[in-house]
Amino acid sequence: MYKYKVSILGTGFIGLCSAVCFADKDIMVIASTHNEKKAADINEGIAPFYEEGLQEIMDRLKNTNLNIFRCITDPIKAVLETDISMITQGTPMREDKSIDLSFIESTAREIGLALKNKDNYHLVVVRSTVVPGTTRGLVAKIITEVSGKKPGKDYGLCMQPEFLAEGRSIEDTLQPDRIVIGQFDEKSGIMLQEFYEYFYGVHLKNCPILRMNIESAELVKYGNNCLLSTKISYANEFANLAQLVPNVDVTEVMKGVGLDYRINPRFLGAGVGFGGSCFHKDVNAIKAWSKSKGYNARLLDAVLDINDDQAIKIVDIAEELVGDLKGKKVSLLGLAFKPGTDDMREAASIRVVNELLKRGASNIVGYDPKANDTAKMELGDKIQYAQSVEELLKDSDCALLITEWDEFKKLSPDDFKNSMRSPNLVDGRRIYDFKEFNKLLSFRAIGRI
Ligand code: UGA
C-alpha cells in the first residue's frame, strides 16, 4: 500500500526527526530502539526529548493514521518489514577522543541477521557521522559476514550525512540546502535519490543532490562541522586581536568580513566558544583518524585550542574588572551549550566553571531558563543554582553572560545595577549594546576593550 517502507535504527535527534517527517509524508516508518520506555513513549505520541516542532508532528501522526509510524525494540523485525534501513545511531567520543563506533557495529550486525533471512533487495543507508572507511570497511563488512549477502548485488549501500542542528532538526530535515549521497554503486545511489525525490516532491527544486563515492560523503560531514568550528575559532582569534587595541570591536570587524560574498556572516560570532555534542566530537574524531593515518591535522588542533582558551579569556576579563574572585559571588547567565535547548554536552559553561574554580572562586551561581536540571547532572555541587535572573543577580559581584537566551537579551543596565552588589558584567556572547552598557555599568565584552 505504501510506496516506501523505511526502518530507522536509532531514535536520537536525527533518527526520530527523520522518522516522523517521513511518516508525515506518506512513508511507512518503523523506528527501532533498545530502550523499551522510549519506544513506549514514542508509540504513545510523546516526544522523548524537546525539539522544536517534533511534538506537533507526533500529535498529528497519532491522530491520523496509527499504522504509518511505530517504534519497536526489535531492529531485526524492523529491517525485515521494510525496504530501506537507515542507521542513525550515535557515534560518541571515546576517552582518547577518537570515535566510538560500537553502536554502529552492533546495528550492522542486526541488519546482517535480518538480511540473512530476507530475499528481497534492501537498501542500507548510514546517516550517522562516521570517519572515512567506516561504511565500507565496517558496516558492509559486518553485514556481509553475518548475512552472507554481497553489497551492490544482494543489498544496496549508501552513506548520507545529515546536517541537522539541534533546535532546527525538523526545519533542517524539511528544507535541506543539499543532499549528499555517497553510493557504493549506481543502483544504490539512484534508489536513495528517488526516495528523496518522492519525499520532497516539488520542494526539492532548489536543493542540489550530490552523488559521490561513500568515503567522500563520509568526509563531507567532517568538512562541514570542521569549517563551522574553524569560523567560530577564527572569529575568536580576531576577538583576541581586537582586545589588543582600544575601541576596536570584533563584532564590527566580523560584520565587515562576513559581507564578502565568498565568506558569509554566519558562524562568525565571537564569544565564549562553541559547545554541543557535535563540533568537539567531530573535530577530535577526524583529528584522531588522520593521526592514525600518519597526518597531523594542525589547523584543527588550533581550532580546539582557541575554543578552549575562550573560557580562560572571559575569566581574565572578570578578574580585570573585579580583582581577586575569591569570596566574590560570580553569576553565570546561561549554562546550556546554546539557547533553545537543555543540552549541556561540552557546553562552554563547564569550561568557565572549571576555570573559575581554578582561580579560587567558590561562590559561583548559575541560572538557565531550561538547563538547570541537566546542568546539575553535569556540574553537581561545583556551583549553586538560582531559579530566576533576580535570584541569580542578587548581591552578585560579577555576572558573566554565557548563553544568549532571549530572557537575558531583555535585561537593561538598570536590572544589573539594581540587583548586584557591584555591577560588573562581562558579555560572553555579544548581545548587549556596548556603548549603552559601558556608560552605565562596569561592563566588558569579549572582543572589545
Ligand atoms: C552542528 C551543526 O551546525 C549542524 O549542521 C550539524 O548537523 C550538527 O552540529 C551535527 O553534527 O549533528 P549543533 O551542534 O546542534 O549543530 O549546534 P550549532 O547551532 O551549530 O552551534 C554549535 C555551537 O557553536 C554552540 O555552542 C554555539 O553557541 C556556537 N556558535 C555558533 C558560536 O560560538 N558562534 C557562532 O557564530 C555560531
Side-chain angles (χ1 to χ4, degrees), residues 162-164 166 221 225 267 269 274-275 278 337-338 429:
E162 55 76 24
F163 305 104
L164 319 183
E166 236 176 274
K221 173 60 192 252
N225 274 2
F267 281 71
F274 58 77
C278 303
F337 90 94
K338 68 175 182 182
R429 292 289 177 190

Side-chain angles (χ1 to χ4, degrees), residues 157-177:
L157 182 68
C158 287
M159 195 282 153
Q160 187 220 335
E162 55 76 24
F163 305 104
L164 319 183
E166 236 176 274
R168 298 178 38 102
S169 298
I170 298 288
E171 198 181 329
D172 287 344
T173 301
L174 296 176
Q175 284 154 16
D177 39 22

Side-chain angles (χ1 to χ4, degrees), residues 408-417 432 436-437 441:
F408 303 147
K409 288 183 184 163
K410 290 180 195 141
L411 297 173
S412 68
D414 276 343
D415 293 321
F416 291 95
K417 262 165 80 177
Y432 297 122
E436 185 198 352
F437 275 67
L441 292 178

Side-chain angles (χ1 to χ4, degrees), residues 14 129 162-168 172 221 224-225 228 232 236 265-279 281-282 307 337-339 348 404 429:
I14 316 305
T129 301
E162 55 76 24
F163 305 104
L164 319 183
E166 236 176 274
R168 298 178 38 102
D172 287 344
K221 173 60 192 252
N224 218 76
N225 274 2
L228 293 172
I232 298 168
N236 283 331
R266 291 180 205 99
F267 281 71
L268 287 176
V272 74
F274 58 77
S277 63
C278 303
F279 287 173
K281 169 178 87 75
D282 292 349
N307 193 59
F337 90 94
K338 68 175 182 182
E404 66 277 32
R429 292 289 177 190

